[in-house]
Structures are given as C-alpha cells and as structure tokens.
Amino acid sequence: MYDVIIIGKGPAGLSSSIYTGRGNLKTLIIGKDSEALEKAYISNFCCAEEQTGKELIHKGIKQALDVGVDIVEEEVLDIKKESEFVITTDTKEYKSKSVIIATGKPKIKIDIPGINKYEAKGVHYCVACDGFFYKDTKVGVIGYNDYAYHEILELESITKDITLFTNGKDIEMKKENLDELKSKDININKKRIGVLEGNDYLEKISFEDGSEEEIDGIFVAYGTASSVDFARKLGITIDNQNILVDDNQQTNIPGIFAAGDCTGGITQVATAVGQGSTAGIRTKTYLQKLKK
C-alpha cells in the first residue's frame, strides 16, 4: 500500500514526488518517457541552464530516487476508488491512499467521420460510466492494445456480443491477453472504418471496403488511456478536456489531485513544476488530516 501514487513521469509528476518523498510519504510514480518532451530544448526555465528535455527529466528522476520514491515504467489502464485507490497497469495492480494525476494533455480523438455526431448517442469513452446502457446488446470497442483489452473485460459483465474493431491497426496487446479474447470468442474486425452512421443514434459502421455492420454502441479505447479517461471513470469534473482543480490542485474527488498540462492553462515546464509542488504539498496535508 502506497501513501500516494503519481501517474505521469513528466515535470509535474516528478516535482510532486520530490515533495511527497521528502515528506516521508511512501510514493510510487507510474509512467513512461515522453518522446515530445525528451526531444524539446528548454531555454526558458528560470534559474536553470539551457538543457534538453531528456536531461531535465533524468535530473528529476535522480532527485525522486534520492528521496526514496519508487518508479516503474508501466502503462496505467484503469483507476478505481474502493476503500483505497486501485491502479491497474499492463503488468499488475497497486493500491494507494491518494493519487496525483500528472499525465499531460489527453490524447487526440480518433479521426473517424461521424464519431463526434454520435458522442453520447452510441459513441462513448468510458465503459464504467456508460456500459450499463447496453445490457445484452451488440457493442464494439475501437482499439488495438491492452487498454482496449481492459475495456472489453469490463463489458463482459454487461453483454456477450462484443467486437474489437482495430480500424486497420495491427493488434499490439500481450499474447496472453489476445489468447484470452480468442478463447472468449470475442469477435475481431481489422477493417478500416469509413464512417459511423445512423439517425438520432448510432446504428451501423460502414467500412472502407464497402461492407457494413450493425451496432448498438461503441466504446473508444484507442491508443493509451489519458487523464480525461481516468477522470470520467472516477467522476472527476472535466471542462473542455481539462481536469478541474482548486487552488490546492485538488479535484472534486477527495484524495485525487492533478497537476501539469492535464489541468489546462499554459503548457510550460515551469507551470508543471509549480503545480506539481503544490499537489505534492497538499497531498501530504490531506493524508495528515485523513490519519487524524
């Protein structure tokens, strides 16, 4: 059991961890390297020499390790709130008393004609939020990796008629996960999607090869889970794809904080570091009150 789990290994997450680690909180960072930041050249970070993003991150990692923070390079697939927070990755599960989300900007939505038209009318982004509308109906998951696999597992208790639509992508999930889907007779359709169609609600998928398939609902799990995906599942308030936080970087869910680009505003390293330090300090305050 960790005191705090930080999702994201960028400036916001690392900054948070330095404060929680120095505050004697058992801290875990879960995240992978950011290719965009590592390729950047940072020359406007006050009181620091010009450096590459890769150099900056490596310095932050060393600082975090020096104060006892654990770091794992895993992909977070899900966050649940039980008596504590349960974070599921592509490798294992972790439990924590609090969470700091510092995953950067949410992923860009998949570009499929019709997808915006049917959002909340057959197109959804959270099985935990909207899956119950589709009990015993025909549904699909658009995706190709372990994130999509995880969403399919959640759907299984709602309906058995499930199809994985890869939209022309090769499947990139772990072999044991793919084998499990095949053993469960989950349909897999690798055709490229042409357009989503229907009247007031989604009714069918038309593929680029001219074929069609009727469908009641689709859940998008394309690429990796983003901050907004986690927020939706937990009931965190979001606005324009940004997580809403107060002056303490706390969300509307007690014990969950957010920092960095995922909260909107100016996308600068200095901003992320500042918000991260606030989140780390306020998480410590939250846990002290929780203990009392």
Side-chain angles (χ1 to χ4, degrees), residues 138 189 191 197 204-207 209-214:
K138 183 177 181 179
N189 186 320
K191 298 177 183 178
E197 297 182 274
K204 67 179 180 180
I205 302 173
S206 294
F207 299 94
D209 67 358
S211 61
E212 298 178 346
E213 186 166 339
E214 292 184 355

Side-chain angles (χ1 to χ4, degrees), residues 23 32 43 47 70 79 87 94 97 106-107 129 151 154 158 171 173 179 208 212 216 219 242 259 263 269-270 273 286:
K32 295 187 176 183
S43 58
C47 306
D70 295 333
I79 308 174
I87 290 84
Y94 301 92
K97 300 172 186 175
K107 63 181 181 295
C129 310
E151 295 298 276
E154 288 217 17
I158 301 167
I171 294 177
M173 62 183 64
D179 289 343
E208 289 186 351
E212 298 178 346
D216 294 303
F219 292 86
N242 297 316
T263 64
V269 169
V273 169
Y286 165 80

Side-chain angles (χ1 to χ4, degrees), residues 11-13 15-17 19 100-102 243 245-250 257-283:
S15 176
S16 298
S17 76
Y19 284 87
I100 299 175
I101 299 175
I243 295 177
V245 293
D246 61 17
D247 292 341
N248 295 321
Q249 301 300 134
Q250 182 164 300
F257 299 77
D261 293 352
C262 65
T263 64
I266 301 172
T267 56
Q268 292 289 305
V269 169
T271 304
V273 169
Q275 290 185 354
S277 62
T278 300
I281 292 168
R282 296 309 181 191
T283 299

Side-chain angles (χ1 to χ4, degrees), residues 30-274:
I30 305 175
K32 295 187 176 183
D33 294 335
S34 168
E35 290 186 11
L37 181 59
E38 288 207 350
K39 291 178 181 178
Y41 192 77
I42 300 164
S43 58
N44 60 351
F45 190 18
C46 182
C47 306
E49 297 178 353
E50 295 184 359
Q51 58 191 315
T52 65
K54 186 173 184 178
E55 290 171 332
L56 181 140
I57 292 300
H58 284 185
K59 289 175 184 177
I61 290 172
K62 182 180 184 305
Q63 286 178 291
L65 293 173
D66 286 346
V67 294
V69 174
D70 295 333
I71 301 176
V72 295
E73 290 196 10
E74 297 173 15
E75 179 185 340
V76 176
L77 303 177
D78 190 28
I79 308 174
K80 284 187 173 69
K81 178 68 171 73
E82 298 176 355
S83 57
E84 61 279 315
F85 294 101
V86 180
I87 290 84
T88 303
T89 74
D90 55 353
T91 302
K92 60 188 296 186
E93 279 190 352
Y94 301 92
K95 294 184 178 182
S96 177
K97 300 172 186 175
S98 62
V99 173
I100 299 175
I101 299 175
T103 50
K105 280 290 185 185
K107 63 181 181 295
I108 299 173
K109 291 183 180 179
I110 182 173
D111 184 20
I112 295 176
I115 198 165
N116 294 332
K117 177 181 178 181
Y118 294 109
E119 284 186 344
K121 296 180 179 181
V123 174
H124 305 273
Y125 296 87
C126 174
V127 172
C129 310
D130 302 320
F132 69 96
F133 291 118
Y134 295 93
K135 183 174 176 59
D136 297 327
T137 63
K138 183 177 181 179
V139 299
V141 172
I142 300 180
Y144 54 90
N145 59 13
D146 291 306
Y147 177 36
Y149 161 81
H150 185 271
E151 295 298 276
I152 289 172
L153 292 189
E154 288 217 17
L155 275 171
E156 279 192 305
S157 62
I158 301 167
T159 181
K160 299 303 179 185
D161 194 348
I162 305 170
T163 299
L164 173 66
F165 296 98
T166 71
N167 192 34
K169 292 277 291 185
D170 292 330
I171 294 177
E172 297 177 5
M173 62 183 64
K174 292 180 180 177
K175 183 180 183 302
E176 58 266 30
N177 292 345
L178 179 58
D179 289 343
E180 184 178 356
L181 292 187
K182 290 179 178 178
S183 70
K184 295 174 182 290
D185 292 325
I186 300 296
N187 302 310
I188 299 176
N189 186 320
K190 297 183 180 180
K191 298 177 183 178
R192 284 192 61 84
I193 298 172
V195 62
L196 304 182
E197 297 182 274
N199 291 310
D200 292 335
Y201 291 86
L202 175 67
E203 296 175 3
K204 67 179 180 180
I205 302 173
S206 294
F207 299 94
E208 289 186 351
D209 67 358
S211 61
E212 298 178 346
E213 186 166 339
E214 292 184 355
I215 201 81
D216 294 303
I218 283 178
F219 292 86
V220 180
Y222 208 74
T224 57
S226 74
S227 56
V228 172
D229 294 315
F230 301 140
R232 285 194 181 101
K233 290 187 176 186
L234 291 163
I236 295 171
T237 303
I238 56 176
D239 180 41
N240 195 28
Q241 300 299 299
N242 297 316
I243 295 177
L244 292 187
V245 293
D246 61 17
D247 292 341
N248 295 321
Q249 301 300 134
Q250 182 164 300
T251 70
N252 60 303
I253 303 297
I256 301 184
F257 299 77
D261 293 352
C262 65
T263 64
I266 301 172
T267 56
Q268 292 289 305
V269 169
T271 304
V273 169

